[in-house]
Amino acid sequence: MDERNITYMFYGLAVAWGLLAVYAVLLGLRERDLTKQLDTLKRMVEEKK
Amino acid sequence: MSGPAVAAAGVWKYFGDYPALRDVRFELREGECLALLGRNGAGKTTLLRILGGLSGASKGAVEINGGDVRASQTRARIGWLGHSIGLYDELSARENLRTFGALYGVTAGMISEWLAKVNLAHVADSPVREYSRGMRQRLAVARAFLHGPRLLLLDEPFTSLDDKAIALLQGLLAAARADGATIILSTHQIREAMELASKVALLDRGKLVHFGERTEEMVGDPTYLYRTYGSAA
Amino acid sequence: MRTKVILALGAVALPLLLRNLYAIMFLVPDEMEQGPIYRIFYYHLPAFFTAALCYLTALVSSILYLLKKDQKYDAIAVSATETGLAFAAVNLITGMIWGRISWGIWWAWDPRLTWALICWLVYFGYLMLRSAIDDPTERAKNSAVLSVFASASVAITWKAIEWWRTQHPGPVLSIRTGGVQKIDPIMENMIYVNTVALLFLAAIFILVRLRQEEVQREIDALRRYAHAMN
Amino acid sequence: MTTLRHAAAIAVKDLRSEFRTKESINSTLSFSVVILLLFAFAFDPTPDMIAEFGGGLLWIVFVFAGALIVNRAFARELPNDCIDVLVSSPASGASLFLGKAVAAFVLLFGIECICLPVFGILYNVTWWRSLSGMMGVLALGTWAMACVGVFISALTVNLRLREVMLPMLVYPVLIPAILPAMMLTNTLLTGQPLPSDFGVWLRLLVGFNIMFTTLSVYLAETILVR
């Protein structure tokens, strides 16, 4: 088996893990963003009362 | 006729989690005229749209003459006049009325009659685009009354109309009432509405805070209703 | 409660994923003809199964939304679609890498590849539509309808490819070939085990996404409320 | 029956206002011809090449034209909130949808019928060898576009990015209809006796139409009553 075959296997595995990791990070970022938005809004509504 | 002409039974309308209407319930008998009052964003338009079948209630139900609003024969009895005129600019007055008339089963003779009645017979075949504001509004009124509706739903009818159109609309509304049609109109112009109304409803943030007979105090003092039943805000 | 479930799932999924990675790299035997590259299949195939299951979940919950008009189903639909897209991306790109070695090209206009790409585009459109609609109820309704449309189209496209010539490897798993053993049982088991691991991961993603959807609803409601106060 | 009568009224209205302004007819027609020209410049095609990709080229043009036409289907109702009046009228959502789809179909079919001879002249193709078959395939593919396009235009009519969003949503969904339409058109253009897989592609196209027409008619009311 040639060199490339095994290198590309590693690429494949890295992509599989990498893509899912990227999605997980994106989820995390959105979580942070949403929490921030919610806090700001809650404070705004609080003030108006 | 026994049952109510319009019955709203616990109508809720959500936009996402926000309730635009909360548990609105009222009944209207045939021949009554309801003035729907309330601030901007109180839910007047939302309620009218649900009554007219343009929008579905999230919870609860609306019945028109005991039937579902989305039933075709129920909607054949409803006349709708919204914020905008609801006409096609590139078509002529006659073509506009013909299009809508075809949906309601109105004859060509009736259409000519209406064109004369709203004083547009002489320009009936030129496109609506060329009309003045007042002419467009008169045509819109004719469109709403074309099929002899038994229930009229008018959203802020007096706000965008000019004097001539208001006079025309008031005349038609009075005639419709005399004929036993039911009318619901939402409005800011309390004075004009009070002259017509037999019942008054006040919406506040989606809640029906008052529903009852029109009284003499209301006609005399436009702010009476808000002061008595409106929220402190 | 939800957080605990997510953590518990994570506690199962992560060791399983790591164990599978170890097993895939060092324990399973090499395939005769293809060499190490075939190990990509242990992600390629399970990712496809997971994505397909996600799409199916999205379809079912979209239909449920249209029937019941409950925002909960809309949240499930969007969570499942998004997670499905992530796994479909894994499926597509690992497939491309495998194709580079086995076919010599990154992208063959092979029907099955094409189908997977179309599928991706269709559901990506679903997410685009969602992001463009402001009112949550309208968004839920319109996107549920689009989801039904998309699934119908995807199903027909799937049928269409069977009439086209394909150079994609046919079914190898014994459940698809009617019990005929086409690959080593060790390999087949590995595929199943990794499918389970990825399904756990997908479940975590969906649950997290679901919670975010709930927070989003709260934000939307608060925003409306703030506007109404003016 | 009433549904069809209402649908006819809507279709007539749509066609009449379109012919009055000619907004989308003119732009779509010139757009299609320009694309046909551009392709001819770009590839300087030989008869062999045309036999291979003629059907594909034609349908690419039609699909672009289709996006422009269906985009107007519900956008037409936006000024003056005409859609409110239509929805509040006795016409059901299904009849509104059908009327608009028929109007879009007629417009598109007309434009395609003008494009075909232009295509024939520019690329030196005798496309009329099996005229009825050609018209049949054209009609089936066009109905698929009109049906899916008009339905999705109802979904996207209120969006700011409507013009971009619509083709992005419509094209992927349309692929299982456009694919057989291209194959069939190609076969018909060569004028050879029909191969055995002709029926298979035809079934696919017809099946797509039946399925999506049913779905749209069934779901139209849900979309239009907000």
Side-chain angles (χ1 to χ4, degrees):
Chain A
M1 294 303 148
D2 62 353
E3 186 95 346
R4 232 170 49 144
N5 194 314
I6 201 155
T7 331
Y8 273 68
M9 177 201 84
F10 278 117
Y11 287 167
L13 299 193
V15 162
W17 276 76
L19 276 174
L20 295 178
V22 165
Y23 183 61
V25 168
L26 285 177
L27 272 181
L29 286 178
R30 182 152 48 194
E31 185 95 31
R32 217 181 54 184
D33 182 50
L34 284 175
T35 326
K36 220 184 336 183
Q37 272 188 51
L38 188 63
D39 284 347
T40 333
L41 268 170
K42 269 185 179 157
R43 241 179 291 129
M44 212 169 87
V45 171
E46 227 21 72
E47 272 171 27
K48 275 191 184 165
K49 275 181 185 165
Chain B
M1 275 305 288
S2 48
V6 179
V11 170
W12 288 74
K13 178 72 181 178
Y14 285 101
F15 292 118
D17 278 2
Y18 177 81
L21 290 178
R22 315 174 193 209
D23 198 26
V24 172
R25 45 182 84 230
F26 66 88
E27 284 187 359
L28 218 54
R29 272 175 292 118
E30 197 147 311
E32 287 186 312
C33 173
L34 175 71
L36 195 57
L37 305 171
R39 283 166 222 285
N40 266 340
K44 299 189 297 281
T45 301
T46 313
L47 180 56
L48 272 177
R49 289 179 70 88
I50 291 177
L51 292 174
L54 292 173
S55 175
S58 307
K59 263 191 279 177
V62 167
E63 282 191 351
I64 310 287
N65 285 100
D68 180 40
V69 203
R70 285 309 296 172
S72 185
Q73 65 269 32
T74 308
R75 273 176 295 141
R77 302 163 58 95
I78 298 178
W80 171 269
L81 188 58
H83 289 288
S84 314
I85 53 174
L87 297 167
Y88 298 97
D89 286 332
E90 60 278 7
L91 299 182
S92 73
R94 194 185 302 279
E95 285 165 340
N96 262 298
L97 293 191
R98 257 199 209 141
T99 301
F100 294 112
L103 303 180
Y104 289 96
V106 175
T107 59
M110 286 285 283
I111 288 171
S112 303
E113 213 171 284
W114 269 103
L115 284 169
K117 208 184 270 188
V118 296
N119 206 4
L120 288 172
H122 58 295
V123 284
D125 294 312
S126 46
V128 171
R129 186 193 307 288
E130 293 164 6
Y131 286 17
S132 73
R133 224 171 101 84
M135 290 159 85
R136 291 153 70 92
Q137 289 162 344
R138 293 208 302 278
L139 184 59
V141 171
R143 197 260 302 137
F145 281 83
L146 184 65
H147 53 293
R150 303 305 297 159
L151 169 64
L152 282 154
L153 300 172
L154 313 167
D155 194 6
E156 310 272 1
F158 302 119
T159 340
S160 56
L161 301 190
D162 66 358
D163 293 346
K164 231 171 157 183
I166 288 185
L168 171 75
L169 181 58
Q170 272 175 331
L172 284 172
L173 284 175
R177 272 206 68 188
D179 198 31
T182 317
I183 300 167
I184 301 182
L185 52 95
S186 80
T187 186
H188 277 125
Q189 264 92 332
I190 298 182
R191 224 176 281 275
E192 267 112 345
M194 284 304 165
E195 280 168 21
L196 277 163
S198 64
K199 288 253 163 106
V200 169
L202 181 63
L203 274 171
D204 182 37
R205 285 187 209 163
K207 271 207 192 94
L208 195 62
V209 288
H210 174 71
F211 180 83
E213 298 290 331
R214 181 200 63 167
T215 56
E216 284 311 313
E217 292 103 310
M218 296 179 189
V219 183
D221 178 7
T223 58
Y224 169 80
L225 202 65
Y226 284 97
R227 273 190 287 118
T228 321
Y229 302 103
S231 65
Chain C
M1 179 55 205
R2 179 77 56 82
T3 320
K4 271 186 194 149
V5 174
I6 292 174
L7 286 176
L9 280 173
V12 179
L14 198 64
L16 191 57
L17 278 167
L18 290 172
R19 190 207 78 94
N20 285 349
L21 183 62
Y22 176 77
I24 287 163
M25 299 232 280
F26 304 110
L27 299 186
V28 289
D30 260 349
E31 219 252 354
M32 298 299 281
E33 294 160 28
Q34 299 185 14
I37 189 72
Y38 92 97
R39 286 163 209 261
I40 284 182
F41 279 170
Y42 295 129
Y43 287 95
H44 180 69
L45 234 51
F48 171 74
F49 294 145
T50 313
L53 204 61
C54 285
Y55 290 154
L56 198 64
T57 313
L59 171 64
V60 171
S61 47
S62 292
I63 293 174
L64 281 174
Y65 177 82
L66 287 175
L67 294 177
K68 306 228 165 113
K69 297 279 151 72
D70 184 340
Q71 294 278 322
K72 183 177 70 190
Y73 295 115
D74 175 57
I76 297 176
V78 63
S79 309
T81 306
E82 218 182 276
T83 308
L85 278 175
F87 281 93
V90 170
N91 169 254
L92 261 177
I93 298 184
T94 50
M96 280 167 64
I97 292 171
W98 178 85
R100 180 76 183 87
I101 294 297
S102 293
W103 298 335
I105 40 176
W106 289 106
W107 188 266
W109 282 104
D110 164 82
R112 229 175 266 217
L113 256 73
T114 317
W115 179 79
L117 182 66
I118 292 169
C119 215
W120 211 89
L121 286 176
V122 166
Y123 286 106
F124 187 70
Y126 168 90
L127 290 186
M128 292 291 292
L129 179 73
R130 289 189 71 86
S131 64
I133 307 178
D134 293 327
D135 169 36
T137 312
E138 177 99 0
R139 177 170 59 216
K141 195 184 66 188
N142 284 10
S143 48
V145 168
L146 182 68
S147 186
V148 172
F149 251 61
S151 310
S153 167
V154 159
I156 305 183
T157 316
W158 178 255
K159 200 74 204 148
I161 64 156
E162 288 187 3
W163 296 331
W164 215 346
R165 283 169 62 83
T166 176
Q167 50 180 323
H168 193 283
V172 286
L173 299 183
S174 48
I175 45 165
R176 288 282 309 278
T177 53
V180 182
Q181 206 76 54
K182 276 203 173 170
I183 54 169
D184 193 327
I186 301 177
M187 297 182 185
E188 187 164 344
N189 271 335
M190 192 65 238
I191 286 178
Y192 290 143
V193 173
N194 212 30
T195 305
V196 170
L198 290 192
L199 282 177
F200 268 107
L201 193 60
I204 294 173
F205 284 163
I206 291 179
L207 285 175
V208 171
R209 189 68 185 77
L210 214 52
R211 200 179 54 189
Q212 291 180 350
E213 208 52 29
E214 276 160 21
V215 175
Q216 184 68 55
R217 276 176 70 185
E218 208 179 332
I219 290 174
D220 287 341
L222 268 178
R223 197 164 280 154
R224 275 254 175 194
Y225 183 66
H227 284 313
M229 285 203 307
N230 287 338
Chain D
M1 209 44 229
T2 343
T3 306
L4 292 183
R5 215 184 53 234
H6 288 164
I10 303 284
V12 167
K13 188 272 297 173
D14 268 14
L15 287 173
R16 181 172 286 147
S17 29
E18 183 50 50
F19 281 111
R20 194 69 43 89
T21 59
K22 299 197 184 63
E23 269 172 42
S24 43
I25 298 182
N26 284 345
S27 55
T28 310
L29 199 54
S30 45
F31 180 69
S32 312
V33 173
V34 166
I35 297 184
L36 280 174
L37 269 175
L38 279 179
F39 264 96
F41 292 148
F43 296 113
D44 195 11
T46 60
D48 288 354
M49 284 163 77
I50 287 299
E52 221 165 278
F53 68 61
L57 166 60
L58 269 178
W59 279 99
I60 285 176
V61 174
F62 295 164
V63 160
F64 283 164
L68 293 178
I69 293 282
V70 297
N71 193 17
R72 291 283 302 152
F74 276 93
R76 203 189 294 289
E77 308 291 335
L78 283 183
N80 303 338
D81 289 341
C82 292
I83 190 69
D84 283 356
V85 182
L86 289 185
V87 175
S88 83
S89 79
S92 64
S95 56
L96 292 186
F97 163 77
L98 275 179
K100 296 209 158 280
V102 167
F105 174 84
V106 171
L107 288 176
L108 254 172
F109 197 77
I111 286 169
E112 288 165 3
C113 286
I114 299 176
C115 281
L116 259 182
V118 176
F119 168 78
I121 293 165
L122 289 179
Y123 295 82
N124 196 19
V125 181
T126 42
W127 50 272
W128 56 87
R129 265 187 293 231
S130 46
L131 192 62
S132 55
M134 193 63 135
M135 287 297 138
V137 170
L138 215 56
L140 283 172
T142 309
W143 176 255
M145 278 200 283
C147 171
V148 172
V150 168
F151 189 84
I152 292 185
S153 91
L155 286 179
T156 54
V157 66
N158 289 317
L159 305 183
R160 287 168 304 256
L161 291 172
R162 164 161 51 87
E163 280 89 355
V164 190
M165 198 67 89
L166 184 69
M168 244 193 58
L169 298 180
V170 171
Y171 291 163
V173 173
L174 260 185
I175 286 171
I178 298 304
L179 185 69
M182 285 176 173
M183 298 296 217
L184 294 172
T185 310
N186 250 349
T187 315
L188 290 172
L189 279 179
T190 54
Q192 308 288 326
L194 300 182
S196 57
D197 63 353
F198 193 86
V200 170
W201 291 114
L202 197 62
R203 270 212 301 281
L204 180 61
L205 189 51
V206 172
F208 182 96
N209 276 327
I210 292 174
M211 185 166 177
F212 277 85
T213 310
T214 318
L215 266 181
S216 317
V217 166
Y218 187 69
L219 289 170
E221 181 99 354
T222 319
I223 286 302
L224 291 172
V225 180
R226 297 193 186 280

